[in-house]
Amino acid sequence: MSAADSLSFSNEAFTDFLLPTHRAAMESALRDVRAQFGKTYHVALEGKEVRAKKTFPSLNPSRCQEVVGYAVDADLRLADRALASAERHFLSWSRRPVEDRAAILRQMAVLLRQRKFEFCAWLVFEVGKNWAEADADVAETIDFLEYYAALALRPAPSLVSVKGEINEMRYLPLGPVVVISPWNFPLAILVGMVSAALVTGNTVVAKPSHQAPIVAAKFMELAQDAGLPDGVLTLITSQRVAVGEYLVKDPRTRMIAFTGSKAVGLKINAIAAKTVKGQP
């Protein structure tokens, strides 16, 4: 790939479901995904599966008795382990060349294109999207991966030169980033916030909405397939409000990326505005 190609970006095309081949592919994906209903998705810490005692069901909102899958109901102990892992792996990940980090994001985009209909099917079943809305969610996810990969490779802007001074701008990773994402765009918003943090050298603890944990778990699988090192991204699923509050308040958390309600956003803002003991 040339330098110019690595910096280019164009939006992912939407799927035309009027085409018989696309309709057939989507129908096949819906059958394949339905056949996977009822599985339990455990938390992976540094590449090792952690089997928690408590799980909760993710239900199909269109058929409220239908279980799409089961997710771990993480507690504060598991949240603490996730942050410890993010802190432990930050130094090695932040020192990895930005070209390598961007290449992993691009590989995620490649794999997501290959599995587009499958991810659309998960979105249909877990959050009740129609085919077109699910496809738009996946397309936006691919856009985020490609855009942030390209943006990270662009040089920092030049600063005004002043006689007698040497001025330069550098981008520095911060450390563990906590990402809290909503149910309505459970793939695009989650991956958008995660990918921006990862490509800039931060490690991430992601807590998706408890209403869409399976879509997030499927992305975690894809990230691992794309070559993301163990410990760089940890997914914590939980129904407990206390888990999100713990991640936000912990002094190891260097940045918070949140999309959700006004009430929760204002609460997070109030918490983050206070320096706590042990915070850099």
Side-chain angles (χ1 to χ4, degrees):
M1 180 183 292
S2 68
D5 289 338
S6 67
L7 300 179
S8 65
F9 170 78
S10 59
N11 291 108
E12 182 71 11
F14 295 139
T15 301
D16 184 356
F17 288 110
L18 292 177
L19 297 177
T21 53
H22 291 168
R23 285 204 309 276
M26 185 63 189
E27 289 166 353
S28 176
L30 290 167
R31 290 191 295 270
D32 291 344
V33 165
R34 185 180 286 280
Q36 300 178 55
F37 278 12
K39 289 177 59 179
T40 299
Y41 296 84
H42 296 281
V43 170
L45 277 173
E46 300 180 331
K48 297 179 180 179
E49 194 175 82
V50 178
R51 293 180 172 269
K53 293 180 180 179
K54 292 186 177 181
T55 62
F56 63 94
S58 178
L59 304 175
N60 179 352
S62 301
R63 297 180 179 179
C64 297
Q65 302 304 313
E66 189 171 56
V67 177
V68 176
Y70 294 90
V72 166
D73 195 9
D75 55 15
L76 299 187
R77 178 173 169 272
L78 199 51
D80 179 76
R81 291 177 64 186
L83 274 176
S85 175
E87 188 177 46
R88 190 159 50 246
H89 289 273
F90 168 66
L91 190 60
S92 60
W93 178 246
S94 64
R95 291 182 175 179
R96 189 158 178 171
V98 65
E99 293 81 6
D100 290 354
R101 300 196 300 258
I104 291 174
L105 259 64
R106 290 190 185 278
Q107 182 59 21
M108 291 182 195
V110 168
L111 296 179
L112 188 53
R113 284 191 188 94
Q114 295 171 357
R115 298 174 59 183
K116 180 180 281 191
F117 292 108
E118 176 197 344
F119 272 86
C120 283
W122 284 112
L123 288 162
V124 167
F125 285 127
E126 188 166 45
V127 296
K129 296 208 170 195
N130 62 44
W131 291 14
E133 290 175 345
D135 180 66
D137 201 322
V138 176
E140 186 178 8
T141 306
I142 294 171
D143 285 346
F144 276 131
L145 291 166
E146 295 282 12
Y147 176 74
Y148 285 127
L151 196 63
L153 295 174
R154 293 177 182 173
S158 300
L159 300 180
V160 175
S161 296
V162 179
K163 187 176 180 179
E165 295 181 1
I166 299 175
N167 298 317
E168 64 179 8
M169 179 182 287
R170 295 183 182 181
Y171 297 127
L172 298 176
L174 295 174
V177 173
V178 167
V179 168
I180 301 175
S181 58
W183 66 268
N184 56 339
F185 286 87
L187 189 62
I189 293 180
L190 169 70
V191 177
M193 294 190 290
V194 165
S195 58
L198 289 177
V199 79
T200 47
N202 304 286
T203 50
V204 175
V205 176
K207 183 185 177 296
S209 167
H210 68 275
Q211 294 172 297
I214 310 305
V215 167
K218 288 297 175 180
F219 170 71
M220 187 69 194
E221 293 175 1
L222 183 142
Q224 292 169 332
D225 291 343
L228 190 68
D230 294 336
V232 172
L233 169 63
T234 303
L235 185 74
I236 292 292
T237 54
S238 182
Q239 294 186 111
R240 312 176 197 208
V241 173
V243 168
E245 291 184 352
Y246 181 88
L247 293 172
V248 167
K249 290 179 179 179
D250 195 282
R252 291 168 294 183
T253 298
R254 295 300 311 280
M255 187 174 76
I256 303 158
F258 168 79
T259 302
S261 70
K262 177 182 177 180
V264 176
L266 289 174
K267 186 175 183 179
I268 289 174
N269 187 61
I271 291 170
K274 298 176 182 177
T275 301
V276 296
K277 185 178 180 180
Q279 187 175 13

